[in-house]
Amino acid sequence: LDCFAPQNCLMSFPSTCDIAITLPRPELAVIAKQALEVDPELSPDKIEKQFEVSSNQFLVHFRAVDEKTLRLGVSTFFDM
């Protein structure tokens, strides 16, 4: 889990978090990606997430407008 929020960033989504979930087999990482990427983001103007698979790792990249929105997005992801 790698999260940071640069203080002097002028990007529209300055707060980011990258999550890597290691699964037993690459096929399971693909299944996780396919299952979760169908849900649309409820607040695309405040947060976005990207899913990726690398070998047997399911990777999730979050970008948000602020730390609170990022925390809520990551928390909601883990509640799924």
Side-chain angles (χ1 to χ4, degrees), residues 19-20 23 29 49 52 58 62 69 72 74-75 78:
I19 299 169
L23 297 166
K49 60 182 177 275
E52 185 181 339
F58 175 49
F62 290 91
T69 304
L72 290 171
V74 171
S75 176
F78 279 112

Side-chain angles (χ1 to χ4, degrees), residues 3-67:
C3 300
F4 62 93
Q7 299 300 317
N8 297 320
C9 187
L10 299 177
M11 297 174 11
S12 59
F13 292 93
S15 300
T16 65
C17 182
D18 295 321
I19 299 169
I21 302 170
T22 302
L23 297 166
R25 298 189 320 267
E27 299 84 24
L28 296 176
V30 171
I31 291 170
K33 178 182 181 286
Q34 291 172 341
L36 293 172
E37 69 186 354
V38 297
D39 294 329
E41 186 57 58
L42 298 177
S43 300
D45 58 322
K46 295 181 181 178
I47 189 166
E48 64 181 36
K49 60 182 177 275
Q50 295 177 316
F51 300 116
E52 185 181 339
V53 171
S54 178
S55 185
N56 65 327
Q57 284 196 322
F58 175 49
L59 308 169
V60 187
H61 309 286
F62 290 91
R63 291 177 24 168
V65 295
D66 57 36
E67 293 83 9

